[in-house]
Amino acid sequence: MADVHPEHAQLQADRIYLGWQYAMLYPDPGPAPKRPSPAETLAEPVTVDPAWVRRERLQEDLLNRPVKIVGVFMALLAVLILGLGVGEIMGWPFVVIGLVATGGIAAICAYAVHQGERALRSRVREQEARAGKQREQRERELFLAQEEHAARYREWAAKREQYDKQLTWYAVAVPDEIDRIDVAGGTLPGWSALITLLGATRLYSGGHLTVLDLSEGAIAKDLIELARRGGDDPLVWVLPTDLPRLDLGATLPPEAFADVLAHVVSVSEEHRTTRDLSFDNAILERVLEVLGENATINQVTAALRALAQVGDPRDDLRFGLLTATQLERIGTLFGRGVTDRVVIERAWALESQLRKLETLGSEAVRLPPARLRVVSMDRQAGVFGNRVLGTYVATALTHILRQSPASERPWYHTIIVAGADKLRGDVLDRLMDACETSQTGLVLTYRSLTPTVRERLGRGHAAVAFMRLGNAEDARVASEHMGTEHRLELAQLTETIGTTVDGLNGSYTSTVGEGAGRAAPEKDKDEGDLKEGITESTEWGRRASKAMGEERVLHRSREFLVEPHQLQQLPTTSVIVTHATAEGRQVRLADANPAILTFPKTTLGEFEEVRRVMLTPAEPDLPPEADPFPPNLGPPPERLDWRRTP
């Protein structure tokens, strides 16, 4: 039988881990069978009752009393007759006759008494023999009961050992054909757990990860610390502070750059049509043609101000944002009259929106490559400004992916967008299409199920992960999507640990800003122990180590149906993973807590795989390549160093 314990398994690069499923392959055998006690079995000694003996003897005495009296009387009479004969008062012939008569009667009485005594002793011996047989029977029954108990105890002990040593947490991985994961609902701590688990397993298996955090919460903070401990040196941008050092999109051609900026402008206008975007795109393309390649955002805004006739263009000439030739060409880009007024109004609107990106890439420096990149929004900035910045990053990523060749390994590069419901639907669609064509994994998390999100939830080859849904309408939509007939098992440990991490403290620390040191990782550091890193580097690991001491919660669970009110009360780290299969919709409940990987009864195999292996008779000559859980004593050397890219 294959060994499926975690120390004999390893992360698989082609698997996406979303959590851990709690399941018991073997039921609890209950308490040990009670051993038959000799004290209880032989509590009442099997012997002749002395009271019965006394009663029998009393009865025998009562029956023999007349006989004894007659016998004693005859004996006394015989003595008297003998005395008369000796005293020659009575003749010896009469004495002899009297002695014979009285002696005979006395002898008969003595014999009768003796026979009664013999009968009494015989009855007592029969009772003693019967008691002995009963005692032997009880001892024989006790012996058989103890033998039966020993057999049942050995069977119980085997089941108990099987129960105690069985795995309780199984990996929940998305199928191979899945290219996107939609996470609906959840809290910031829940997202932090999910992203830490997904990101850590991706990095440890040699992949690359990009996190676009629009949630305005430090949900990837634990992941960053874990990556640093693993030997990586993540890049973290905190916008808008690090906007001058963000060079994303700097190498895009003018047509793609114009398209990106047109979508950025549309972020505040939810009902804009494709025609409106085309109009803005046309204006920006012509402006970029005048400015030439490698035009910056502040040059674009300067050109739009000149086109919209806002401010004094001589200021832009003095600062070197425009040249006199460019200013003259901009003035003749469009005709005069009504059309000119429309262009002026749109140019003014474009300039007002793009001003938030004027410092983009103005202080860009060449940064060393990193396998973990995090772009986050500062919660101190304005809500609208963060939406503009988030839209720009998402759209620029889309164009970069469209220009990149398709990866040979699906999910080798994974993009996580936290708070994707803040992006327009068309921006999401373009990002999804770009990730699909480039074989890039995509994880989208939504705080609420807006109409835009509902239209795209689970579309195509996507799995949906539902977390806690605070809104009743969202919970109803989710339950209808999965089906309320599914019964799921929730571990008490999930509820216990989930309540200990109520929120996220702190914020991101930029690694690209001024004064942000990027220390080189130590080369001689042991970087391969992911479980130790989770325990020491994440809040989840520290909390879980305390909960593991409470044995009473390790094997308790409860079942619930997929109903709206249950979805509103899910623990923080609970994830209901569902996707469509040929046999119907598959629904599984997982715990996204990354610390569960450190538990001694956690395996990287999925429950159905492990059950199939455990319940199938072992083949004696199973080749190693046919074993789904090969007995490796540790990760291969190339997976010990996170900095190495396969």
Side-chain angles (χ1 to χ4, degrees):
M1 182 180 297
D3 193 346
V4 295
H5 284 77
E7 60 268 19
H8 293 166
Q10 64 185 33
L11 294 173
Q12 299 185 30
D14 58 347
R15 281 199 169 185
I16 310 301
Y17 299 93
L18 294 182
W20 315 97
Q21 179 183 359
Y22 178 84
M24 304 291 285
L25 188 59
Y26 303 104
D28 188 353
K34 186 178 180 181
R35 185 177 184 273
S37 174
E40 295 180 1
T41 306
L42 304 176
E44 298 180 0
V46 184
T47 58
V48 179
D49 188 3
W52 177 84
V53 176
R54 287 195 300 271
R55 288 195 303 271
E56 290 293 321
R57 187 168 295 281
L58 178 60
Q59 184 178 2
E60 188 66 25
D61 290 342
L62 291 176
L63 293 175
N64 291 335
R65 182 174 298 174
V67 179
K68 289 180 179 180
I69 292 174
V70 172
V72 171
F73 177 76
M74 288 299 162
L76 293 175
L77 184 59
V79 172
L80 179 61
I81 293 173
L82 181 61
L84 292 175
V86 173
E88 297 181 352
I89 299 174
M90 181 181 293
W92 283 104
F94 293 102
V95 171
V96 173
I97 295 171
L99 288 174
V100 171
T102 56
I105 295 173
I108 293 172
C109 290
Y111 180 76
V113 172
H114 175 69
Q115 286 295 103
E117 290 294 331
R118 287 184 59 186
L120 176 61
R121 288 194 297 271
S122 177
R123 290 197 299 272
V124 171
R125 285 195 298 271
E126 289 178 359
Q127 284 294 107
E128 290 177 348
R130 190 178 298 111
K133 291 182 179 179
Q134 291 181 359
R135 184 165 51 251
E136 292 177 358
Q137 180 65 23
R138 286 193 180 185
E139 291 176 354
R140 190 180 304 109
E141 291 177 355
L142 175 62
F143 177 76
L144 294 176
Q146 288 178 340
E147 281 193 340
E148 182 183 358
H149 168 266
R152 289 191 292 113
Y153 186 85
R154 287 192 295 270
E155 181 182 358
W156 175 87
K159 291 182 178 179
R160 187 69 192 183
E161 182 181 9
Q162 195 178 49
Y163 173 79
D164 291 336
K165 291 185 178 181
Q166 72 175 323
L167 302 168
T168 55
W169 295 97
Y170 301 83
V172 174
V174 298
D176 297 337
E177 65 272 11
I178 298 299
D179 55 19
R180 189 180 85 249
I181 301 169
D182 295 331
V183 182
T187 61
L188 292 183
W191 284 4
S192 172
L194 180 64
I195 290 176
T196 301
L197 172 62
L198 194 150
T201 53
R202 286 286 81 210
L203 293 174
Y204 188 78
S205 59
H208 289 245
L209 193 70
T210 299
V211 179
L212 174 55
D213 188 0
L214 306 179
S215 66
E216 301 180 4
I219 60 176
K221 189 176 180 180
D222 280 350
L223 177 60
I224 294 172
E225 295 299 326
L226 191 58
R228 286 195 180 118
R229 180 179 177 84
D232 208 344
D233 198 10
L235 290 173
V236 181
W237 290 268
V238 181
L239 304 182
T241 305
D242 290 331
L243 195 59
R245 288 163 288 277
L246 181 66
D247 58 354
L248 185 65
T251 59
L252 291 176
E255 296 81 4
F257 196 40
D259 183 71
V260 171
L261 297 181
H263 278 83
V264 170
V265 173
S266 68
V267 68
S268 63
E269 304 174 14
E270 295 292 338
H271 301 290
R272 297 201 65 195
T273 62
T274 306
R275 179 180 178 183
D276 297 329
L277 288 174
S278 300
F279 187 58
D280 290 346
N281 189 70
I283 295 177
L284 291 170
E285 279 188 355
R286 295 190 181 188
V287 168
L288 289 172
E289 287 179 3
V290 173
L291 297 177
E293 295 186 0
N294 301 324
T296 61
I297 295 292
N298 53 0
Q299 288 178 305
V300 174
T301 55
L304 291 174
R305 283 193 296 271
L307 186 61
Q309 301 176 11
V310 178
D312 189 351
R314 290 176 296 183
D315 295 337
D316 294 328
L317 291 175
R318 185 169 59 255
F319 291 123
L321 299 178
L322 294 176
T323 64
T325 303
Q326 291 173 342
L327 183 60
E328 182 179 357
R329 289 185 60 189
I330 289 172
T332 59
L333 279 178
F334 298 93
R336 302 298 178 184
V338 178
T339 306
D340 189 45
R341 294 306 306 173
V342 174
V343 172
I344 290 175
E345 291 178 0
R346 287 309 307 163
W348 195 352
L350 292 172
E351 191 273 342
S352 64
Q353 302 283 1
L354 296 180
R355 287 182 63 184
K356 298 175 177 60
L357 298 174
E358 278 188 333
T359 59
L360 176 68
S362 59
E363 301 176 12
V365 294
R366 186 173 182 81
L367 297 172
R371 296 199 297 117
L372 173 61
R373 296 170 291 274
V374 179
V375 182
S376 66
M377 306 300 148
D378 190 352
R379 67 178 63 183
Q380 303 298 328
V383 175
F384 177 72
N386 283 346
R387 291 192 65 183
V388 170
L389 296 175
T391 302
Y392 173 80
V393 174
T395 311
L397 277 175
T398 300
H399 279 277
I400 293 175
L401 292 174
R402 288 167 61 90
Q403 297 174 8
S404 303
S407 174
E408 297 181 358
R409 291 170 50 188
W411 292 90
Y412 173 73
H413 180 207
T414 302
I415 297 177
I416 300 176
V417 182
D421 46 337
K422 296 182 180 180
L423 300 177
R424 281 172 53 100
D426 54 343
V427 175
L428 287 175
D429 289 338
R430 290 158 60 94
L431 179 60
M432 294 175 190
D433 294 340
C435 289
E436 183 179 358
T437 56
S438 62
Q439 294 290 302
T440 300
L442 180 61
V443 179
L444 303 173
T445 67
Y446 308 98
R447 287 297 296 271
S448 60
L449 302 182
T450 62
T452 300
V453 174
R454 295 179 190 176
E455 294 175 0
R456 294 162 176 80
L457 201 63
R459 179 191 297 176
H461 300 290
V464 184
F466 292 100
M467 302 187 77
R468 180 188 297 177
L469 294 162
N471 185 279
E473 179 62 20
D474 291 349
R476 183 190 63 80
V477 173
S479 63
E480 292 179 354
H481 181 87
M482 291 180 284
T484 57
E485 72 278 4
H486 297 284
R487 184 178 295 274
L488 304 176
E489 184 177 5
L490 177 64
Q492 185 175 346
L493 188 66
T494 301
E495 298 179 298
T496 302
I497 299 181
T499 57
T500 61
V501 183
D502 297 327
L504 295 174
N505 297 321
S507 58
Y508 290 113
T509 300
S510 172
T511 61
V512 298
E514 297 179 357
R518 290 172 54 81
E522 301 176 7
K523 300 296 183 180
D524 56 349
K525 181 180 177 182
D526 183 10
E527 302 160 341
D529 197 341
L530 176 60
K531 294 191 289 185
E532 181 180 351
I534 290 175
T535 302
E536 298 183 1
S537 302
T538 67
E539 183 66 20
W540 298 102
R542 291 185 286 270
R543 299 283 183 174
S545 60
K546 297 179 181 179
M548 281 295 292
E550 301 180 5
E551 295 290 339
R552 63 181 183 275
V553 302
L554 294 184
H555 294 302
R556 293 184 180 179
S557 63
R558 65 177 177 89
E559 290 187 345
F560 68 93
L561 292 173
V562 181
E563 296 177 344
H565 71 279
Q566 294 286 357
L567 299 181
Q568 293 180 269
Q569 300 172 1
L570 284 176
T572 303
T573 57
S574 292
V575 182
I576 302 179
V577 183
T578 175
H579 65 279
T581 64
E583 294 77 18
R585 180 161 295 279
Q586 183 179 13
V587 180
R588 292 174 293 173
L589 177 66
D591 189 340
N593 188 347
I596 295 179
L597 178 62
T598 66
F599 290 1
K601 296 183 179 181
T602 300
T603 178
L604 293 169
E606 294 194 73
F607 177 68
E608 293 299 331
E609 295 177 348
V610 174
R611 182 170 65 175
R612 185 168 57 252
V613 171
M614 299 294 287
L615 299 182
T616 301
E619 299 181 7
D621 298 324
L622 186 66
E625 60 273 9
D627 191 346
F629 302 101
N632 286 326
L633 296 180
E638 63 271 20
R639 292 188 180 174
L640 290 178
D641 192 345
W642 286 29
R643 294 172 305 219
R644 297 181 60 179
T645 303

